[in-house]
Amino acid sequence: MDDATAPDISARFLRLPSIAERKLGADYAAPIRLDPRILEQMQQTIRDLGTQYAGTIKAQVGSLFAFIEPACMAGSAEARGQLYSLAHEVRGIAGTFGFAIVGRFADSLCRYMETRKSLDPTIMRFHVEAMYDALQNADCDPALADETLRSLEKLTEASKTDERSYG
């Protein structure tokens, strides 16, 4: 292949605007430093909302139990979507308000649901029970929570292998 027929493999770098630039316009200039008073206000707001969120997250996790069986049935896209939506919300917000392990269990549940066509109600229930137990025992041993999470992930992987071998 000579130089005339060689493909052009030069690289180009594109600068994509940040979210703030897209929302606030081209004149937006990022702040160099955040005012410590504003930072303290933000942290206080998160603490205040965290107190309210404790009740909300318990209700959300409690409602997951009702969706397990319907979500695992064939043709249950609506129930599956509702369960996933709730678990996804818990996954995204729980850590912000001091429920990090609950968020990790919710993340594991979401990843399980994202990778499976059919859902095992036992695996689903184990995930939701782990979230519920973590909420009831906020001062639980982190090592125990980590081991529970590893066990859930092993169970999920074993289930994935079983599904491949059957069809």
Side-chain angles (χ1 to χ4, degrees):
M1 189 181 293
D2 60 78
D3 289 339
T5 60
D8 179 18
I9 56 170
S10 61
R12 287 182 241 156
F13 293 92
L14 301 173
R15 184 185 169 286
L16 298 175
S18 71
I19 293 172
E21 286 175 306
R22 285 193 308 248
K23 289 184 176 182
L24 301 174
D27 294 335
Y28 169 75
I32 294 173
R33 145 173 201 259
L34 188 61
D35 184 335
R37 294 171 296 185
I38 300 297
L39 183 59
E40 178 54 38
Q41 282 180 323
M42 290 169 52
Q43 290 172 337
Q44 185 59 47
T45 300
I46 289 172
R47 284 190 293 270
D48 294 344
L49 290 173
T51 304
Q52 296 169 6
Y53 184 67
T56 301
I57 192 172
K58 287 177 183 177
Q60 287 176 319
V61 170
S63 68
L64 288 173
F65 285 107
F67 290 111
I68 292 171
E69 291 299 325
C72 294
M73 297 171 58
S76 60
E78 185 177 340
R80 184 177 178 143
Q82 289 174 319
L83 192 149
Y84 181 84
S85 183
L86 272 171
H88 188 271
E89 186 174 329
V90 169
R91 169 173 77 172
I93 296 177
T96 301
F97 296 111
F99 300 100
I101 190 60
V102 177
R104 290 175 61 203
F105 289 139
D107 178 57
S108 178
L109 176 60
C110 287
R111 284 185 288 118
Y112 171 71
M113 293 181 73
E114 291 164 357
T115 60
R116 302 301 301 266
K117 288 182 183 178
S118 62
L119 302 174
D120 182 329
T122 303
I123 292 173
M124 303 283 286
R125 184 167 301 284
F126 285 160
H127 277 86
V128 176
E129 286 175 354
M131 287 188 275
Y132 185 79
D133 288 345
L135 286 170
Q136 299 305 313
N137 304 304
D139 59 343
C140 71
D141 180 11
L144 178 61
D146 288 341
E147 185 57 37
T148 301
L149 187 60
R150 276 193 294 280
S151 296
L152 287 170
E153 289 169 351
K154 285 179 187 176
L155 183 62
T156 299
E157 282 302 312
S159 174
K160 200 181 287 186
T161 302
D162 289 346
E163 185 178 63
R164 276 188 240 131
S165 66
Y166 291 117

